[in-house]
Each structure stands twice: as structure tokens, then as C-alpha cells.
Amino acid sequence: MKFLLTFIQLAVLFGFYLLGEWLRALFSLPLPGSIIGFLLLFSALLLKIYPLKWIDSGAHFLLAFLSLYFIPATVGVIDYADVFTGKGVWLLVIAIVSTLLTMAVSAWISQWTARTALQKEGK
Amino acid sequence: MNMHIFLLALLFAGLTTVLYLFLNSQYIKYRWTILNPVLTTTVALVMILLVFDVSYDTYMLGGKWVGELLGPAVVALAVPLYKQWELLRKNLLPIAIGVTAGSIVGLLSGSLLTKLFGFSAEMVLTMLPKSITTPVAMQMAEAFGGIPSLAAVYVMVAGFTGILVGPWLLKTLRIDSSIGRGIGLGSSAHGLGTAKAFEYGPEEASMSSVAMTLSAVVGSFLGPVIVWLFF
């Protein structure tokens, strides 16, 4: 029974994704269908249109293997090995440095802003 | 689709899943960063494809079935996000400022450095969206005149940098709050960063999902502006 419930909920998640894809095509939105579906489901939960218990176990099951779904895309690096030879090595260095800069700035600023806000509340 | 191709697709989808489940269990057992299951499974699959002289296109007959699950999985991120809504609501301003600052740095630093090193305009535009989740990054690269599939490779490099070096960087910078860790991982390393954030805890995971989503939204608005201003 639990298994069937999870399965139905997985189908609902797929439904939200397909709905997002459909809306994207219909209005030529710049966001992918998955993000649109995510925003739709989140709004539905927040506005209590769709109850949490009808999606909880399906979402939990799907997210348990989240990193698996990236693997086929990452294997794609096999076709681009030649781009990163010779001078192209710098492209990798740039991508790595830029990622670390992005992380440092966003993490530091959000933590600093959150703590400053807390201190002000405390006064 | 004939039977032969169907079986081949099934083989590659199955191989990806089984390898991942095994290597993930090893990662859970030892918890060494270098054993990250996305990294180890990718390396194993690349070696298998090279040894058996299988092209990426052939692999993707089945690989795309596994990759398709990313769509509903991103939708499913709404659930942990909803459960943490109170925490997010209290931190809307730090989240918005942190993600926007990260987006600007992410879009600008990579593309300007690429230009500075004398690479072609096509290469510069391909580098631009690397901290944004794959489907959006590919669409952006295409819209700017970059190479979408190469953009996906940069997204992957950003993801691996985030999960492999990120925890060290966060520690070094004394980022010890769930908001700092989550926003940092999600803004720079999108979905892979979010998968990593789940290891820290549900608060980090939600912060990271928000950062990933918000980066995609902010990036698709800021990207064209940055291209227009600088390139």
C-alpha cells in the first residue's frame, strides 16, 4: 500500500514537471519546466491547495537519489576532452576560481546580513 | 525503437543506476570527499565507454532516462522547502542579497576572466551561466551565442568544485550557519551543491534549493544585461 502511494505521488511530481514544460512552451518562458513546476508545487503547498501528506513520501523517495540524475549529463565531458588541452586548461582553472568566488561572496554576505539583522532585533 | 536499441538503452540506464547505488554505498561507508558518488560513477562510466569504444550518444540512449528524473526531482525540492518555510520567511532579505550578489559575481568573474585570457567571444559566452542549473544554463548559452553542450560541462565543473572544495572553503571562511552554507552551495554549485547541502541537514538543503532556484531566476534576467553591458 505504502509502495503504491509513493508511486502515485511520483506520478504527481512528473505531472507538475510536465505542466511546467507545457507552460514554458505556451508562454515561451525563459525558465525550464522543472523550475516552473517547482514554483507551482511550492505555491500549491503554501496556499494549502495541495496537502503535504499527498506528496511527502514520493518527494522523499525521489530526492534520496538526487545526485544520480546528474550523472548522464556529467558523463558528457567525454566529448569535450580536447577543449581543455593546452591553453584550454585555463578554462577549467577559470571555472573553478569563479565558482569559489561565487560561493565565498554569496555565503559570506548572506551569513553577515542574517547575523546583523539578528543583532538589531536583539537591541 | 527496435528491440536491439531498447536493450542497449536499458543496459546503460541500468549500469548507471547500479554503479551509482554501489559507489554511493561506499561513499556512505567511508565519507571521504574524493569518493563522492557523482564523481566516482562518472569516472567509472567514462572509463567503461572509452574501453568499449562506446560513443556518448549511444550511452545517452539509456542515460537520458536517468537524466529525465532530474525534472520531477527539481519539482520535489518544493517539499523540503515548504517544510522549512518559517526559517526562510525570517531570512528573506539575507537570502535575496546573498543570492543576487553571488549571481553577479558568478556571471561576471568567469566570463571576464575568459575574455582577459584572450579566448573567443563564443567561449566567453559559454562560460557565463556556469553556476546556474543545467537546463537554464544551456538555454542561456544558446540565447547568447555560446555552445550549450559545453556550457553543461562548465556547469558540471562548477558543481564538482562546489561539492569537493566547497566544504573546505566554507570552513576556512568560518561560514558556520545553515544560511551561509546553504546559500553558498546553491548559488555556486546549483543542484549538485544542493545534493551536498542535504548532508549538512534539512535547513542547509532548503537554503540551497532556494538559492539554486533564485539563481536561475535572477540569472535569466541578469545574464542578458551583463552580455549587453560587457560583451
Side-chain angles (χ1 to χ4, degrees), chain A residues 49-63:
Chain A
I49 298 168
Y50 194 92
L52 179 66
K53 65 173 186 205
W54 286 3
I55 202 76
D56 205 12
S57 69
H60 191 79
F61 178 80
L62 200 57
L63 289 176

Side-chain angles (χ1 to χ4, degrees), chain A residues 16-121:
Chain A
F16 269 96
Y17 168 55
L18 293 177
L19 180 65
E21 282 292 337
W22 181 73
L23 287 172
R24 183 189 62 79
L26 192 66
F27 298 108
S28 350
L29 299 168
L31 292 170
S34 57
I35 299 270
I36 298 168
F38 162 91
L39 293 170
L40 287 174
L41 176 59
F42 184 64
S43 312
L45 288 169
L46 208 59
L47 298 170
K48 314 272 180 205
I49 298 168
Y50 194 92
L52 179 66
K53 65 173 186 205
W54 286 3
I55 202 76
D56 205 12
S57 69
H60 191 79
F61 178 80
L62 200 57
L63 289 176
F65 311 102
L66 179 61
S67 49
L68 166 66
Y69 321 133
F70 290 96
I71 291 167
T74 60
V75 174
V77 72
I78 200 169
D79 279 351
Y80 285 96
D82 56 325
V83 175
F84 303 114
T85 52
K87 195 192 166 194
V89 162
W90 287 107
L91 290 168
L92 283 179
V93 177
I94 292 167
I96 291 168
V97 169
S98 169
T99 303
L100 293 176
L101 274 174
T102 308
M103 183 182 289
V105 168
S106 53
W108 192 84
I109 289 187
S110 55
Q111 178 165 299
W112 185 83
T113 317
R115 287 201 173 143
T116 311
L118 264 183
Q119 276 167 6
K120 272 189 184 156
E121 264 175 36

